[in-house]
Amino acid sequence: HSGRDWQGRMTRRLTERLNLTANQQMRVKAIFKEARDQNRPMAAQLRDERMALRNAVKTDSLAQIDQITGSNAALNAKVEANHVKTMAKIYSILTPDQKAKFDSAFGHGGRAREAKGV
């Protein structure tokens, strides 16, 4: 699935669960677009690193594996930070009632429960 598909599904899910206004929906879409634009170069780099890691495994290059996995960990941390910042931006445009619903539906940062479709 593309990032755009995920963002559309997430916008619909937020709209349904939190009863977002039309203005909030537009703002959420803009926030997701900004996040997608920020993550695009990192996604390409992560793909390149995965390919390099496969090659390092095939050539038994342990030093290269250490280097790539270290770089990969740092990059994954940046992607995770962008995700959390995106959710913080969305949270900031919610009403108090919507924030309570958000906390209930997506609590603890959202990742695990979000993946289960809660």
Side-chain angles (χ1 to χ4, degrees):
H1 298 288
S2 76
R4 202 174 293 218
D5 292 342
W6 178 87
Q7 292 165 359
R9 287 190 311 275
M10 193 61 183
T11 300
R12 283 189 299 279
R13 186 176 296 147
L14 288 169
T15 298
E16 292 168 4
R17 295 198 176 143
L18 306 178
N19 196 26
L20 298 180
T21 65
N23 183 33
Q24 286 174 316
Q25 289 175 53
M26 286 183 4
R27 292 175 71 186
V28 165
K29 288 176 186 178
I31 291 167
F32 280 144
K33 182 189 179 317
E34 178 185 359
R36 185 177 71 242
D37 291 346
Q38 290 174 349
N39 284 334
R40 185 172 288 126
M42 289 185 286
Q45 189 176 347
L46 284 168
R47 276 191 305 276
D48 292 345
E49 286 180 354
R50 279 192 300 273
M51 290 180 65
L53 198 54
R54 283 187 208 114
N55 290 334
V57 167
K58 292 176 183 178
T59 60
D60 195 27
S61 178
L62 302 181
Q64 192 176 16
I65 290 170
D66 286 340
Q67 185 275 324
I68 295 167
T69 56
S71 173
N72 190 267
L75 201 52
N76 277 313
K78 287 180 184 178
V79 170
E80 178 66 14
N82 281 348
H83 170 77
V84 175
K85 289 175 184 177
T86 297
M87 297 315 285
K89 289 175 186 177
I90 291 170
Y91 195 81
S92 74
I93 68 169
L94 301 177
T95 66
D97 183 54
Q98 289 170 325
K99 287 178 180 179
K101 290 177 184 176
F102 182 96
D103 292 343
S104 175
F106 301 103
H108 305 298
R111 278 268 199 227
R113 297 179 82 188
E114 177 183 305
K116 294 178 185 175
V118 173

